[in-house]
Each structure stands twice: as C-alpha cells, then as structure tokens.
C-alpha cells in the first residue's frame, strides 16, 4: 500500500544555508508520526513543503499517493493544519472564528458544540480572541484545524502553552482521531508527548534525518548493557545483562532477597540528546 505522504531525497536551501539535506521518510495512512528535532532543525520547513507553502530544490514529495506538484485543491481540503502561523481573528469570538473556518471549508459546523465542549471552551465560546489566554487561543486554533474532519492533520507544537489538564484533553482527542483513522503528523519539543502518542518518530538534526523508528525500538537501540537490582538489605547492584552478569543475577534471585530487577534503557529524551547532542 502506498504511503499517505513521503519525501525522497528532498533538499532545500535558503541562499547559502542548506535547511533540508537529502531528507527521506514516509508516513502511512492512519499513522501518528512524530517529527522531532532541536529548534532550527527544519521541522516547520518540512511542514511548509508538505503543504506547498514552500517549494523544494530537489527530490520527490508525494501526497495522497501523487507527486505534490499534481495535488489538487480537493486534496488540500482533506488536510488540517495547526502551525505557529495559524490565524484567528482578534475581534471575533472563538465560536465566530470556528464558524468562519467551517464556512471556508464548506461544512455546516454542526459539530462545533461538541468540539467546543471537548476543549473546555463551551463556556468561553463568546469570548473575543483578543481577550483569550494563550492556552485558550491554542485550543481554539486546534479546533479550527478540525472543523472539517480532515483525513491528514499537521500539528506544529499543538500543546504549546497548555496547562497539564488541557494538554491531557488534547492528547485524548488526538488518540481518538487517530484511532478513527485520521493520519497525524506531529512536531513537538515534548519527548513524553511523542512517546505517548506516536507509532513512529523521526529525529531531524541540521536538516538530516538521523533516526526513524518506533519510540520503543529507539530506546532499545540505545539501551545500556546493564541490569539494576534492588536487594532487601538496601543494596543496589548493577551488573551486565549478558553471560558475564548472569551469576550475579542468578545469585540475587536464588537468595530470595531481590526486590526488583530491570534493564537500563534510556527514555526518548535521552535518545534525542544522544543523537543530536543538543537541547530542544
């Protein structure tokens, strides 16, 4: 089956600066794909290429199984986008903004009460955007990307500025959308968010894809050759998780004094730092 979108050997430069360098990946239909990287790595530029806000220098991009150059207006009606440039009209209320976007997208907006309720914005629906907090704006912008029920959703830092409760609600909604078949392309600085939501993640560094796999597979790839055991006498014993460490593990288990035992794997944040050597 053809991927929903793909990049093959894509490069892009702004004057003398190479922003994307032979980038290649694909996203399958119904997948939640995380696109991670330090600030300035090229994540937003990639979304702009995939949504034809920018044009590549070289390589091949496909969208809905066709070269992106042949994508139609109807194809882009199947897409929802939340980015740092998503516009909400300051002098209009949350609800009026959403009804405006529903009209642009050619849908009735009958789902707006449900969407507003899900994002805890029903009581604030008449609030003007200029009077909204950053978190309220972010939630309203996400709903504007969802009013037409898109098949493919591009989310650039969707939980930026949200409190933990609102972030959890966004995560719940994204899982439900993904479970129902919506393909999600997610950029985030929150490694826990990527690990929680994404089937696979690609890690971008200086315009190059340095890793692309399931979060668990990446953690196992960078796991240490180490087992940690906590014993009843209070000691913590570390040994290798190979034949050399087997006697220590067997002895601890045979003594009956082993309270816990586990191998040592990094979390996704530690993998990210290992691959890029940089903070987010």
């Amino acid at each position: 089956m053809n991927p929903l979108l793909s990049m093959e050997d894509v490069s892009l430069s702004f004057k003398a600066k190479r922003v994307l360098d032979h980038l290649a990946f694909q996203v399958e239909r119904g997948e939640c794909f995380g696109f991670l990287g330090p600030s300035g790595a090229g994540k937003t530029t990639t979304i702009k290429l995939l949504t034809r806000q920018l044009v590549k220098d070289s390589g091949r991009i496909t969208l809905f199984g066709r070269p992106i150059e042949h994508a139609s207006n109807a194809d882009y009606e199947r897409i929802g986008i939340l980015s740092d440039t998503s516009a909400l009209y300051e002098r209009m209320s949350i609800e009026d903004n959403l009804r405006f976007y529903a009209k642009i997208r050619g849908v009735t907006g009958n789902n707006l009460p449900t969407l507003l309720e899900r994002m805890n914005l029903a009581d604030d629906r008449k609030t003007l955007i200029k009077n909204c907090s950053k978190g309220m704006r972010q939630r309203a912008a996400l709903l504007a990307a969802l009013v037409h029920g898109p098949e493919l959703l591009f989310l650039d830092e969707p939980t930026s500025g949200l409190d933990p409760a609102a972030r959890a609600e966004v995560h719940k909604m994204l899982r439900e959308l993904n479970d129902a078949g919506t393909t999600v392309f997610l950029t985030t600085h929150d490694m826990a968010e990527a690990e929680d939501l994404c089937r696979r993640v690609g890690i971008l560094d200086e315009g190059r894809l340095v890793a692309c796999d399931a979060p668990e597979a990446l953690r196992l790839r960078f796991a240490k050759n180490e087992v940690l055991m906590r014993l009843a006498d209070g000691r913590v014993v570390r040994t290798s998780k190979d034949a050399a460490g087997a006697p220590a593990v067997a002895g601890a288990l045979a003594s009956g004094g082993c309270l816990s035992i586990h191998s040592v794997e990094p979390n996704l944040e530690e993998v990210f730092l290992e691959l890029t050597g940089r903070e987010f």
Side-chain angles (χ1 to χ4, degrees):
M1 185 170 62
N2 290 332
L4 190 72
L5 65 86
S6 69
M7 283 189 157
E8 302 171 23
D9 203 31
V10 173
S11 294
L12 177 67
S13 297
F14 296 145
K15 296 185 178 179
K17 179 176 175 57
R18 178 64 65 92
V19 181
L20 297 178
D21 193 1
H22 300 284
L23 186 59
F25 65 88
Q26 62 185 36
V27 178
E28 304 298 332
R29 186 176 299 275
E31 182 175 21
C32 184
F33 182 81
F35 202 53
L36 317 177
S39 296
K43 303 185 299 299
T44 300
T45 297
T46 299
I47 288 181
K48 288 182 177 180
L49 282 174
L50 291 168
T51 54
R52 291 183 71 180
Q53 298 173 67
L54 291 173
V55 178
K56 59 184 170 53
D57 293 335
S58 60
R60 173 181 167 85
I61 302 175
T62 64
L63 181 67
F64 298 119
R66 293 187 293 278
I68 199 165
E69 293 82 4
H70 299 158
S72 65
N73 288 337
D75 287 327
Y76 282 94
E77 290 302 317
R78 300 160 69 185
I79 292 174
I81 305 172
L82 172 66
S83 72
D84 56 1
T85 58
S86 294
L88 295 173
Y89 293 91
E90 295 280 314
R91 296 179 181 275
M92 291 169 60
S93 69
I94 293 173
E95 183 176 31
D96 287 344
N97 265 279
L98 297 182
R99 293 200 179 281
F100 175 74
Y101 276 103
K103 185 175 181 180
I104 288 176
R105 291 294 197 171
V107 296
T108 64
N110 291 340
N111 60 340
L112 292 186
T114 301
L115 291 175
L116 286 163
E117 194 70 41
R118 284 298 311 277
M119 284 291 97
N120 294 319
L121 289 172
D123 292 342
D124 300 303
R125 65 188 186 281
K126 298 300 183 183
T127 303
L128 301 183
I129 293 297
K130 68 178 183 179
N131 296 328
C132 289
S133 67
K134 181 179 179 181
M136 291 168 64
R137 286 171 180 253
Q138 188 74 351
R139 284 178 283 156
L142 175 58
L143 295 187
L146 294 173
V147 291
H148 60 301
E151 295 176 42
L152 172 60
L153 190 57
F154 288 102
L155 300 176
D156 195 1
E157 304 290 343
T159 57
S160 175
L162 299 187
D163 60 50
R167 186 181 298 116
E169 193 57 45
V170 169
H171 287 181
K172 183 180 179 182
M173 175 178 272
L174 292 180
R175 286 191 203 94
E176 291 174 356
L177 287 167
N178 190 227
D179 289 344
T182 303
T183 304
V184 179
F185 187 98
L186 170 72
T187 74
T188 180
H189 284 110
D190 187 336
M191 296 296 110
E193 179 171 82
E195 200 158 358
D196 187 36
L197 294 175
C198 299
R199 183 186 308 170
R200 290 187 304 134
V201 298
I203 297 179
L204 191 69
D205 187 35
E206 296 183 345
R208 287 180 173 271
L209 199 67
V210 294
C212 187
D213 212 333
E216 183 179 5
L218 289 173
R219 293 196 308 270
L220 292 174
R221 187 186 308 174
F222 289 89
K224 297 178 181 178
N225 180 27
E226 187 175 33
V227 172
L228 186 147
M229 297 180 290
R230 190 172 301 278
L231 306 182
D233 61 9
R235 288 183 298 143
V236 175
V237 176
R238 296 176 183 270
T239 188
S240 59
K241 56 179 181 183
D242 52 22
V249 174
L253 293 174
S255 72
C258 184
L259 299 179
S260 67
I261 179 171
H262 62 85
S263 57
V264 180
E265 289 91 29
N267 58 31
L268 193 56
E269 180 175 334
E270 291 166 330
V271 171
F272 179 94
L273 292 172
E274 178 77 19
L275 286 166
T276 68
R278 294 193 281 165
E279 301 286 346
F280 320 129

